[in-house]
Amino acid sequence: MKTFINLLKDQSGASAAEYALILAIVGGAIAIAAVTLGKTISNSMNKASNCIAAGSTATSTICP
């Protein structure tokens, strides 16, 4: 019975759970930022590709 009570009072697992939760939140934020940045870069590359393909006939409103 004493061993069971000692296990209930043990707080070492709580710290590990807190670190795991922080790691999950930070990892999720990094993943969201990577997806957003990837879409932005993809859009920029597509715009640049369209400007290059258009050549000298591109207007300043399409290709600044």
Side-chain angles (χ1 to χ4, degrees):
M1 186 68 180
K2 201 172 202 179
T3 304
F4 183 70
I5 292 172
N6 286 339
L7 284 174
L8 290 176
K9 290 181 181 180
D10 188 15
Q11 296 279 330
S12 62
S15 295
E18 290 170 0
Y19 287 128
L21 183 61
I22 291 170
L23 182 63
I25 291 170
V26 170
I30 290 172
I32 290 170
V35 169
T36 304
L37 184 61
K39 288 179 183 178
T40 303
I41 291 172
S42 176
N43 289 339
S44 296
M45 289 295 172
N46 287 334
K47 287 179 184 178
S49 174
N50 291 338
C51 287
I52 292 170
S56 62
T57 61
T59 62
S60 62
T61 57
I62 297 172
C63 301

